[in-house]
Every structure is written in structure tokens, then in C-alpha cells.
Amino acid sequence: MSVETEITWIPTDDYLEQSRLLDFARSNRVDGYQGLQDWSARDPGAYWDAAVRDMGFKFAPGYDQPVDMTRGKEWPEWFPGAGFDYVSNIFDLAFERGAADELAVIWEGDGGDTRSLTYQQLWDETRRFANALEQLGIVKGDRIGIFLPMIPETVIAVLACGLIGAIYIPMFSGYGAEAVASRLRDCDAKLLITANGFHRRGKLVPLKETADAAMASAQSVELCIVFDQTRAPTHMQAGRDRWWGDVIDGVSMEFERCQIAANDPYMIIYTSGTTGKPKGAVHVHAGFPVKAAHDLAYMFDLHAGERISWLTDLGWMMGPWLISGGLLLGATIVIFEGTPDYPN
């Protein structure tokens, strides 16, 4: 038997009984994995309608048809006319199953420090930061750059943007100034969220210095929110820069949700730029988050209450994938600030 065809693991009967993929196939009277593939290609609308129902996602208002392909297969409109807010779905589903006190996020820093947030705590901080953004003048459709390491505030910022209908741009925390600036310029970002720094392999990465240099050539950026991750002296430009703690100080957690359509954009993620100018892909509320949850549910067999860790950065696709997909399924996402080869 060749390496390419050798079977390295066969699930037990007990494991198969709790398989989300197998349960999805059986409940839709589909015969096996090949049957699912054939079904999804033959009738993608029916397939995705069944998938979102199986995962329990809520659309308000609902959709009359799961996909409209009148413009051709290359221009589908998914769940046309429906309302879908992926952030509210995360918390509504968690609270419906009584998971308010279950862990949503576990963070470990480069030096071994840890922090965690329950679903209730994450919802509270997301609403607080969303209110703070609105008080700063951020409105639905505004573009917000997020230039942060993988810390709990990164998750809060991502979800708060989605809650108010703003569009976030994830940026790799290891980028240089021009890589950050080019993305801010291209999407005409109004706000940048960053930190004064973070640690990698025991060394301080002065993130705010890079952000300052980037904003100098990204004139659309009017405001910068800085999270104090290092407690180090930090240059703050008057009239533009605000500390995260000051921005949320005294801000209410009560939040009036806005109407968000399934096809409203929530993220612009850019290519690396190694082969030319970075290109931004626009993702919508009922697009990338739904696909992320689908893949984690049926390819990774992730269940509510389980833990998933993916060694990634927000600026890589898997950062947004972990946050939206993992939390939509009610899992605990484990995020890591450092590198796997440090300290050992």
C-alpha cells in the first residue's frame, strides 16, 4: 500500500455515532461522503439551505430561496433578501443552549500568561466596544483596520465591528509600515485599532511605531485606538490616538442592534502581495462566517463546548476563520500570542 493511499485512522462506531458529517448526511437521506459532494454540486441551494438549518443559524427576515443565480454561477447571491448578523447568531445560539458561563476564548501570551472570557463576558465586552465605536462616529459600512496580535481584544474588536455593520480589515501583526499603509489606503479606512506592542520569542515588538509610520501615509485614517498590551511608554498623537481603556471607560453594555442583511460586507481580507499589489476580497455576513462554521462542523467535527486552537494570526485567513467559525458553533477558541518554538 502506498503512502498516498494508506489509511492512518479509522473511526470507531462510537465516534461515528457523534459525527456531525454522518448525522448531516443521514438526516438529509444522502448516501455517504460522495453523495454529499454530488448533492452540493448538483443543487447547491438545497445543500446550503440544509446546512444552515442543521447548524441552527437564524435569519430575520428569512429568505425565500437560498441562492439566486440569475446573473450566472460566477455571481451568486446567497440568502437574498434575508437578514443575517453572524455576531448576534454567535451569542443568541450560545445563550439558547445555556452556555453563558462556558469559555468562549482562552488566550496564552508569549511569556505564559493566560486570560479567558466566557460567552457572557465576551458578549458584554463586544457590546461595550461596539457602543464606544459608535460614540467615536463609526457607522455601518465604515472600514476599520485591525493591526493586533492574537489577544482577547482582537476577538472583541472583530465582533464589535460586525455588530455595528462596520467592515474590518485584518492585518498581519508582523507587517511593515508600507504593507499596513497600502491596505489602509486601498479600502479608505477611517479607524485603525492596534496595540502599543507585544512579545514574540521574548522580545518586544513595537507595534505602535509601525502603525504610526503606516498612518503617516494613509491619510484616510482619522482615529487610532491603542490597546496597552505592554505597559511601555508609547507615543500618542493628540487628536487622533485614544487608549482602548479610555474609549470604553463608562460605556454602557446595553446595545440596540442594527439591521444587517445577509449580503452586507463585514470583512475585506487582502492577498499577501508577494506577486503584485495586494488584492482585497470582500466577504459578507452570510458568506465567510457560514463557510467557516460549515468546515469546522463537517470537516473537523467540532461540537459546542469543545476547544479548538489554530496557530495563526488575524492577518492570515485562519484567524478570522477561527473566530467566526469556532464561535458560531459554540466552541472555545484558543489563541496564542507567541511562537511554538519559544521558550523551548
Side-chain angles (χ1 to χ4, degrees):
M1 184 176 290
S2 69
V3 173
E4 288 77 11
T5 59
E6 184 177 355
I7 298 173
T8 58
W9 175 73
I10 298 176
T12 64
D13 289 342
D14 288 342
Y15 190 94
L16 287 173
E17 283 305 309
Q18 59 92 46
S19 165
R20 296 190 69 149
L21 182 65
L22 184 58
D23 181 68
F24 180 56
R26 286 174 172 172
S27 63
N28 288 281
R29 300 180 180 179
V30 176
D31 185 19
Y33 183 72
Q34 189 59 52
L36 285 170
Q37 282 193 323
D38 293 343
W39 178 33
S40 67
R42 181 180 65 255
D43 193 348
Y47 176 87
W48 283 100
D49 176 59
V52 296
R53 292 176 187 276
D54 183 66
M55 291 183 285
F57 298 158
K58 302 180 185 301
F59 294 78
Y63 50 88
D64 293 327
Q65 57 179 333
V67 63
D68 180 358
M69 294 191 183
T70 55
R71 293 193 299 160
K73 289 184 177 180
E74 67 274 27
W75 297 107
E77 182 181 359
W78 291 96
F79 315 109
F84 183 81
D85 167 5
Y86 90 94
V87 178
S88 294
N89 262 264
I90 287 172
F91 295 103
D92 288 346
L93 291 170
F95 298 150
E96 282 180 10
R97 67 180 185 87
D101 294 327
E102 291 184 11
L103 290 178
V105 180
I106 297 174
W107 167 82
E108 182 171 328
D110 188 66
D113 296 340
T114 61
R115 293 165 57 199
S116 62
L117 293 170
T118 65
Y119 271 91
Q120 184 65 60
Q121 291 169 332
L122 181 59
W123 178 227
D124 291 345
E125 293 308 314
T126 295
R127 288 180 294 165
R128 192 195 312 275
F129 196 62
N131 281 327
L133 291 176
E134 290 191 332
Q135 289 179 14
L136 289 172
I138 301 299
V139 298
K140 183 178 180 181
D142 280 345
R143 276 76 65 205
I144 299 175
I146 301 183
F147 184 43
L148 286 168
M150 291 299 275
I151 56 177
E153 284 68 27
T154 305
V155 181
I156 293 167
V158 164
L159 298 181
C161 288
L163 196 60
I164 66 173
I167 304 166
Y168 84 97
I169 297 86
M171 288 180 285
F172 173 43
S173 60
Y175 274 152
E178 179 52 30
V180 175
S182 66
R183 288 158 174 79
L184 295 173
R185 290 194 301 264
D186 187 74
C187 69
D188 201 29
K190 183 176 181 179
L191 166 69
L192 178 63
I193 303 173
T194 190
N196 52 356
F198 64 100
H199 289 89
R200 180 172 287 152
R201 295 191 177 97
K203 297 181 180 179
L204 178 65
V205 178
L207 200 64
K208 180 56 163 53
E209 293 181 11
T210 303
D212 284 338
M215 287 186 286
S217 60
Q219 298 305 310
S220 66
V221 178
E222 302 173 7
L223 298 165
C224 179
I225 297 176
V226 184
F227 181 71
D228 188 4
Q229 176 70 358
T230 65
R231 310 298 178 189
T234 305
H235 168 73
M236 300 287 282
Q237 181 173 306
R240 185 195 67 187
D241 298 348
R242 302 280 300 276
W243 287 110
W244 177 293
D246 293 340
V247 164
I248 65 171
D249 185 36
V251 175
S252 172
M253 292 182 297
E254 298 301 317
F255 182 82
E256 184 175 346
R257 302 184 190 184
C258 64
Q259 183 62 41
I260 294 176
N263 285 281
D264 280 345
Y266 89 104
M267 176 179 70
I268 303 174
I269 190 165
Y270 283 82
T271 58
S272 65
T274 53
T275 59
K277 181 182 177 181
K279 302 167 186 65
V282 180
H283 292 280
V284 300
H285 275 258
F288 186 104
V290 171
K291 183 62 163 63
H294 167 278
D295 291 358
L296 281 167
Y298 305 129
M299 306 298 110
F300 288 76
D301 199 35
L302 183 66
H303 294 251
E306 295 180 339
R307 296 182 180 184
I308 178 169
S309 179
W310 198 282
L311 190 61
T312 185
D313 187 273
L314 188 69
W316 303 334
M317 188 194 76
M318 304 315 291
W321 178 84
L322 177 68
I323 292 171
S324 61
L327 295 177
L328 272 170
L329 295 181
T332 302
I333 61 172
V334 181
I335 58 177
F336 181 46
E337 180 187 28
T339 59
D341 59 353
Y342 178 84
N344 298 310

